Amino acid sequence: MKLTNPLDMHLHFRDEAMLEFVAPFSAKEFKAGVIMPNLVPPLIELNALKAYKQRVLNACKQEDFTPLMTLFYKAYDKAFLQSLRNEIFAIKLYPAGITTNSVGGVSAFDIDELKPTLEAMSELEIPLLVHGETNDFVMDREASFAPIYEKLALHFPKLKIVMEHITTKVLCELVQSFDNLHATITLHHLLLTLDDVIGGKMQPHLFCKPIAKREEDKEALCKLAFSGFEKVMFGSDSAPHPQHEKECCGCAAGVFSAPVIISVLAELFTKHSNLNNLQKFISNNACKAYKLSFSKDKIITLEQKQWQVPSVYESKDKSLKIVPFMAGQILQYQAKLED
Ligand code: DOR
Ligand code: ZN
């Protein structure tokens, strides 16, 4: 079994020692990844973005991996966007304060206020990636963002809008209703409901934003992903935090799934769908949506061979420990780069 050019359309690499530690997990198994800009400070400036891209490439070592860089959304003028058009893949919009390192995000979704930047993005064909949550009650935050998505889709029909890491049935339906709306789905949201996070003993390593929802939401996400539906792409939202920042009071949001993604998706799709649809979900759909092509293919083979996910990954100098998604569990497939 083989996958060609797996793409992770939503990925947190962080910076410095964390970047060095986590980048190889994705770079080994994926052909490219969309790298999130929520650093401290966020990426809002060309030189900082170029320097970060170079650090990302250095951290990926010799792997055949293309980082697709994103800029943190704020009001930008067209001349500025034009000057860095070739350096960025997309712009990521966060509502202010909604998740990790997002304080500088958007505080009001006023169309007139957003218009100059979004029109410029439309004209320059820069996609808008959105973390779609309001500050409503936590279980309703994503669904109550749906009218904002609709408003954006209607006012900017030529803008490619990606609803990131969707977690609800409502958004599974919305993505099918507007041509310019697309969506990414994570691995963990195909597997979890809120019950897994806080239904028994609290599981900090499953705590993320948006929070996992109800069974019917998970079922709708699975149905959409497993069908290979064209406008839905895989984006892991793999978001590493040091173990001590997860296992504490005030636990950081984020699931570190990078080491297990391909293996677990292979198991899920062989059980509930087929590898053809996995190929679409993990690569072809994104290639089509973004007109991406690669001069050299990266082929990942899936071998049916059990392995146990480590309970913790530790950096070489032992300064960083991260607990991965599915820590300690036995998985059925091993993903390897074809020689
Ligand atoms: O759980 C999350 N963690 N959700 C996000 O949107 C951001 C991410 C992070 O950067 O840690
Ligand atoms: Zn994210």
Side-chain angles (χ1 to χ4, degrees), residues 307-326:
W307 65 288
Q308 184 173 26
V309 182
S311 56
V312 64
Y313 284 100
E314 194 171 32
S315 61
K316 255 193 209 124
D317 67 1
K318 301 199 186 302
S319 64
L320 268 173
K321 283 186 188 171
I322 314 174
V323 176
F325 186 45
M326 308 202 86

Side-chain angles (χ1 to χ4, degrees), residues 253-265:
V255 173
F256 179 53
S257 55
V260 303
I261 291 167
I262 296 205
S263 179
V264 180
L265 281 175

Side-chain angles (χ1 to χ4, degrees), residues 133-142 144 214:
E133 288 194 285
T134 63
N135 53 14
D136 241 325
F137 176 65
V138 69
M139 286 294 277
D140 300 333
R141 280 178 193 177
E142 184 176 283
S144 67
R214 297 171 188 280

Side-chain angles (χ1 to χ4, degrees), residues 12 14 38 94 99-100 131 165 207-209 237 239 241 253-254:
H12 295 269
R14 316 297 190 206
N38 60 333
Y94 290 93
T99 188
T100 310
H131 182 119
H165 42 54
F207 172 63
C208 63
K209 300 288 177 72
D237 202 10
H241 292 275

Side-chain angles (χ1 to χ4, degrees), residues 54-331:
Q54 193 52 53
R55 295 197 295 282
V56 167
L57 285 168
N58 295 346
C60 294
K61 311 229 161 62
Q62 301 308 314
E63 303 294 346
D64 170 20
F65 178 84
T66 307
L68 303 167
M69 305 307 289
T70 61
L71 196 67
F72 189 93
Y73 183 96
K74 66 178 194 68
Y76 294 111
D77 64 37
K78 190 169 175 191
F80 173 77
L81 293 178
Q82 201 143 21
S83 73
L84 48 56
R85 175 65 193 102
N86 295 333
E87 296 295 331
I88 58 168
F89 178 75
I91 295 183
K92 174 71 188 285
L93 185 155
Y94 290 93
I98 206 71
T99 188
T100 310
N101 305 337
S102 62
V103 279
V106 170
S107 36
F109 285 84
D110 178 68
I111 292 291
D112 289 336
E113 222 167 279
L114 298 168
K115 204 169 181 173
T117 307
L118 295 187
E119 265 179 359
M121 287 172 63
S122 252
E123 283 159 25
L124 297 166
E125 295 185 18
I126 302 173
L128 175 73
L129 317 183
V130 183
H131 182 119
E133 288 194 285
T134 63
N135 53 14
D136 241 325
F137 176 65
V138 69
M139 286 294 277
D140 300 333
R141 280 178 193 177
E142 184 176 283
S144 67
F145 199 88
I148 300 176
Y149 277 131
E150 282 186 41
K151 200 161 72 169
L152 292 172
L154 285 168
H155 277 86
F156 306 100
K158 295 219 166 77
L159 180 66
K160 190 188 297 300
I161 302 168
V162 184
M163 306 188 290
E164 295 286 350
H165 42 54
I166 62 171
T167 60
T168 53
K169 198 167 171 228
V170 178
L171 293 198
C172 290
E173 284 158 11
L174 194 64
V175 70
Q176 304 180 57
S177 318
F178 289 87
D179 282 350
N180 56 335
L181 286 184
H182 298 252
T184 59
I185 296 180
T186 73
L187 169 65
H188 49 281
H189 290 118
L190 292 176
L191 290 164
L192 304 174
T193 69
L194 188 63
D195 248 7
D196 299 298
V197 188
I198 53 166
K201 283 190 174 170
M202 194 172 74
Q203 302 298 324
H205 299 291
L206 305 182
F207 172 63
C208 63
K209 300 288 177 72
I211 194 96
K213 306 290 189 312
R214 297 171 188 280
E215 191 60 37
E216 61 258 36
D217 295 306
K218 188 182 90 176
E219 278 168 16
L221 291 166
C222 286
K223 196 168 161 209
L224 201 58
F226 295 158
S227 73
F229 177 65
E230 229 176 41
K231 291 204 297 160
V232 168
M233 308 167 271
F234 174 69
S236 70
D237 202 10
S238 180
H241 292 275
Q243 184 175 20
H244 68 270
E245 288 178 21
K246 294 289 285 175
E247 297 174 6
C248 64
C249 176
C251 157
V255 173
F256 179 53
S257 55
V260 303
I261 291 167
I262 296 205
S263 179
V264 180
L265 281 175
E267 208 169 317
L268 277 177
F269 274 73
T270 45
K271 228 183 250 169
H272 304 289
S273 176
N274 56 61
L275 278 189
N276 234 350
N277 285 345
L278 175 54
Q279 177 62 41
K280 290 181 193 165
F281 179 55
I282 208 167
S283 185
N284 302 8
N285 292 351
C287 288
K288 186 151 187 207
Y290 290 104
K291 299 193 188 85
L292 284 173
S293 64
F294 301 99
S295 50
K296 184 174 155 247
D297 282 342
K298 184 166 183 174
I299 313 279
I300 299 297
T301 59
L302 289 160
E303 207 184 319
Q304 209 163 354
K305 200 170 164 194
Q306 289 193 336
W307 65 288
Q308 184 173 26
V309 182
S311 56
V312 64
Y313 284 100
E314 194 171 32
S315 61
K316 255 193 209 124
D317 67 1
K318 301 199 186 302
S319 64
L320 268 173
K321 283 186 188 171
I322 314 174
V323 176
F325 186 45
M326 308 202 86
Q329 297 196 40
I330 308 283
L331 302 184

